[in-house]
Amino acid sequence: LVSGTSKHVAQVVENGVIPSFISVLESPHNELVDQAIWGLANIAGDSASFRDLIIQYGAVESMVKVLEETTKTTIKRNGTWTLSNICRGKPAPAYVGIARIVPLFCKLLKYEQDQEVLTDAAWGLSHCTASDEGINDVLSNNVAPRLVELLSNPSLSIITPSLRTVGNIIAGPDEQTTQLLKEKDLLPNLLALLDNQKKIIRKETLWILSNITAGSPVQFESIMGNNAFVEKIIHSAKMDSEDVKREAAFVLSNSTSECTPAQIIRVLNNGV
């Protein structure tokens, strides 16, 4: 029923299904728990108002408890997907209602046994890092090295949300950008992604680089002081599709705003 139309979902919610599903999460029977999780995911995915209602009923704490204790991959898989659904949507949920999920997502980001769990945990973190509080919590859980590592994952479904999360962090204050730039594999992985076959990956990578070049001269230097980056960025600005060209142009434009005269001269000498 809650996989049906919004009208179907609304009627079931009005008849009290959310607290019923939450109470079933305490069942000793894995099959029942799994169905309750699946039902909550569909309700959360239907609308922001139903998603907020799920949070208000206290489902987050119950879901986190289930995922921390279960050894069943199917429950971990459906549970991670559900919590990711609870964190997404516009308008975004109030961060105070989902903050408890961040440490769990950070833990699940290291769950190598199942790619779906890994993917949904990464998407969950991408939703949570839409706010400064979320970014601070993610960084305080020391997950930056793992996010950077996942940028070189062979699976596009894992690269995409990991790249978005990295982008959200770098789009924040300079201190957060600086913290991520300390990861030694970040820049080599971003450089490699500029050659990715998928346009959306090249575009998102350039968006990240534009936020770095808009930062301090030291941050600018990490990108524009590297000839390999400069050549690929200029190539993208000349040869790629229109929306990717636009992001590449922003990287170059931002690089002229905060840098030193000597740095501008070097950019000019590179044919910008």
Side-chain angles (χ1 to χ4, degrees):
L1 285 170
V2 294
S3 300
T5 67
S6 291
K7 185 178 179 181
H8 297 147
V9 179
Q11 192 163 349
V12 179
V13 169
E14 286 164 11
N15 280 277
V17 76
I18 294 175
S20 294
F21 275 154
I22 294 171
S23 69
V24 171
L25 293 177
E26 297 181 9
S27 168
H29 303 288
N30 288 322
E31 293 83 356
L32 280 174
V33 173
D34 205 23
Q35 289 298 310
I37 287 171
W38 188 26
L40 288 168
N42 284 327
I43 295 170
D46 185 79
S47 70
S49 58
F50 288 156
R51 173 206 67 198
D52 291 344
L53 201 55
I54 286 172
I55 295 171
Q56 288 165 23
Y57 272 113
V60 167
E61 198 62 43
S62 299
M63 288 280 303
V64 169
K65 184 172 183 286
V66 167
L67 286 183
E68 284 179 339
E69 294 176 357
T70 188
T71 57
K72 295 288 184 182
T73 296
T74 53
I75 291 179
K76 277 193 186 294
R77 185 182 294 166
N78 286 334
T80 309
W81 170 57
T82 302
L83 288 174
S84 183
N85 265 359
I86 289 173
C87 295
R88 67 189 280 265
K90 291 185 179 180
Y95 184 72
V96 66
I98 60 171
R100 178 69 181 85
I101 307 175
V102 171
L104 177 64
F105 280 152
C106 292
K107 184 178 178 181
L108 291 172
L109 207 63
K110 299 171 184 176
Y111 191 76
E112 296 282 8
Q113 296 95 310
D114 190 84
Q115 185 159 312
E116 286 184 41
V117 171
L118 195 53
T119 299
D120 283 321
W123 275 117
L125 285 177
S126 78
H127 304 318
C128 293
T129 50
S131 69
D132 285 345
E133 305 108 302
I135 293 172
N136 286 331
D137 282 354
V138 168
L139 290 176
S140 66
N141 275 276
N142 196 32
V143 78
R146 178 60 171 161
L147 283 168
V148 170
E149 178 189 347
L150 292 176
L151 295 181
S152 61
N153 192 280
S155 170
L156 187 67
S157 67
I158 291 174
I159 291 175
T160 304
S162 302
L163 190 63
R164 178 69 56 85
T165 305
V166 167
N168 287 343
I169 295 170
I170 285 179
D174 272 359
E175 313 85 72
Q176 295 170 345
T177 305
T178 299
Q179 189 169 341
L180 211 53
L181 284 171
K182 289 177 182 176
E183 299 298 326
K184 63 181 178 60
D185 291 330
L186 175 65
L187 296 180
N189 285 349
L190 291 177
L191 184 64
L193 289 175
L194 287 175
D195 291 325
N196 194 277
Q197 291 184 340
K198 291 289 183 181
K199 181 176 77 170
I200 186 62
I201 297 296
R202 301 194 303 275
K203 182 181 175 183
E204 293 252 337
T205 302
L206 287 164
W207 167 61
I208 290 172
L209 297 180
S210 73
N211 280 312
I212 296 174
T213 59
S216 66
V218 172
Q219 291 171 358
F220 163 95
E221 188 67 24
S222 68
I223 303 301
M224 302 306 286
N226 183 326
N227 281 336
F229 266 119
V230 176
E231 287 171 9
K232 288 189 179 184
I233 292 164
I234 292 177
H235 177 80
S236 294
K238 286 179 178 178
M239 307 299 294
D240 218 317
S241 59
E242 287 302 310
D243 49 347
V244 179
K245 280 183 181 179
R246 190 180 305 115
E247 292 298 334
F250 270 117
V251 180
L252 298 169
S253 174
N254 289 349
S255 72
T256 65
S257 61
E258 297 292 336
C259 58
T260 65
Q263 287 172 324
I264 287 183
I265 288 169
R266 180 153 28 82
V267 171
L268 288 169
N269 288 341
N270 274 286
V272 72

